[in-house]
Amino acid sequence: MTLEEGGRRTCIKVTIILVNIPVALFGLVAAGLGIWIALDDPSFMHFTHLDEIELFDTSYVKTGSYIIVAGGFGVALFGILGIVAAATESMILLAAYTMLIALAMAVEVAATVLGVVFKHTVESTMEKAIGRSIKEEFDGVADSENIFTIHFNAVQQKLQCCGFNNSADFSTATKWNTTVNNVTQQIPPACCKNMTLSDQCVANPTPVNSYTMGCKEALADLFERYFSVIIGVAATLVFCQLVMMILSFLMMCTKVENSYNFKE
């Protein structure tokens, strides 16, 4: 092996190691965060002030923490495998690392394709599910104790929207008492821009005092707002994975070539 080949091989090795160090650290930090949430979720909720946001259901936090722990350890092991494979120049570990990258890229491509193909199916399923929940659970009370109503009210206030498609969705709500304090409500208080002064709004809603956009459209606008960021992050991730796969493959090829040269 010439000095130039040795330098190129060392450069590839160092690049793989340097890229995988932050990957492994990120995975360990995520796993540690997940463990903290699983063992003491009230302190996490208080520390992050999530307990002050109605949109968050604390009952799902612990379940999410298990997913974070599993994902964190998975990412950490992936990064450590890359570091060890490059440092030891083991053909088996390099091959395993390359195959894992290829598998991850295949899963990402498959998920993207499925997302595009079944986009309308997912939207239709979500619309039916929310429509059914509005019909069977939504009670229209501003300080409701019903879980769905609490969350849907919070979404409407946060996204400044009314109903999923529009305010007509509430006409099917079987648990909504539209007459409160001798006032016949046309829309729930959560659709009003000022919920503390909602009597006039719920009885005579206008674009001035209430939200007219459906939450479906508001969610679409929110997604489009961050679409370029999502695409940028995804493209960067795929590019880094492709570079790591090529470098790992080059290191394996170099090692095989050196083995043949040594035999000769």
Side-chain angles (χ1 to χ4, degrees):
M1 181 173 61
T2 65
L3 184 62
E4 182 181 351
E5 290 173 343
R8 185 168 62 247
R9 186 169 170 178
T10 302
C11 181
I12 293 174
K13 179 194 296 188
V14 171
T15 302
I16 295 175
I17 292 174
L18 289 179
V19 169
N20 280 282
I21 286 175
V23 172
L25 290 176
F26 174 79
L28 291 173
V29 170
L33 177 63
I35 293 172
W36 172 31
I37 299 172
L39 296 178
D40 190 15
D41 58 298
S43 68
F44 172 78
M45 297 294 292
H46 179 71
F47 179 78
T48 56
H49 300 289
L50 292 179
D51 54 351
E52 300 174 5
I53 304 176
E54 291 183 339
L55 189 60
F56 283 87
D57 186 354
T58 56
S59 64
Y60 298 127
V61 172
K62 191 172 289 292
T63 302
S65 69
Y66 299 142
I67 298 174
I68 294 173
V69 170
F73 277 124
V75 172
L77 289 174
F78 179 79
I80 292 172
L81 175 62
I83 294 170
V84 175
T88 61
E89 299 184 16
S90 167
M91 288 289 290
I92 295 176
L93 293 180
L94 283 170
Y97 179 66
T98 304
M99 286 189 292
L100 282 176
I101 294 177
L103 179 62
M105 292 179 65
V107 171
E108 290 161 6
V109 171
T112 302
V113 172
L114 288 174
V116 172
V117 172
F118 293 103
K119 177 177 179 289
H120 296 296
T121 302
V122 172
E123 289 179 351
S124 176
T125 301
M126 182 173 66
E127 184 171 351
K128 289 179 181 177
I130 294 177
R132 183 170 58 253
S133 295
I134 290 176
K135 179 180 179 179
E136 298 175 358
E137 298 183 45
F138 188 79
D139 58 25
V141 181
D143 54 351
S144 174
E145 295 182 357
N146 177 271
I147 296 298
F148 174 78
T149 303
I150 292 172
H151 289 177
F152 200 66
N153 283 346
V155 168
Q156 290 180 120
Q157 284 290 300
K158 185 70 176 179
L159 298 182
Q160 300 182 355
C161 56
C162 184
F164 188 68
N165 293 298
N166 50 54
S167 60
D169 294 341
F170 298 115
S171 62
T172 63
T174 57
K175 292 187 177 181
W176 179 30
N177 182 11
T178 56
T179 303
V180 179
N181 297 328
N182 296 322
V183 175
T184 301
Q185 299 182 350
Q186 303 298 319
I187 58 173
C191 289
C192 296
K193 295 181 179 180
N194 189 341
M195 290 181 65
T196 58
L197 302 173
S198 62
D199 284 353
Q200 180 65 28
C201 166
V202 295
N204 298 293
T206 67
V208 176
N209 61 20
S210 64
Y211 303 123
T212 57
M213 180 190 297
C215 292
K216 180 181 179 180
E217 184 179 350
L219 286 170
D221 290 345
L222 183 66
F223 178 78
E224 289 179 5
R225 195 182 311 163
Y226 294 102
F227 183 73
S228 58
V229 177
I230 296 171
I231 292 298
V233 172
T236 302
L237 177 62
V238 171
F239 175 76
C240 290
Q241 289 173 331
L242 183 61
V243 170
M244 288 299 98
M245 188 166 66
I246 292 173
L247 291 178
S248 301
F249 187 73
L250 286 175
M251 179 171 280
M252 286 191 292
C253 291
T254 303
K255 190 172 178 62
V256 171
E257 183 181 354
N258 290 337
S259 298
Y260 279 116
N261 292 338
F262 178 76
K263 290 178 181 180
E264 294 175 357

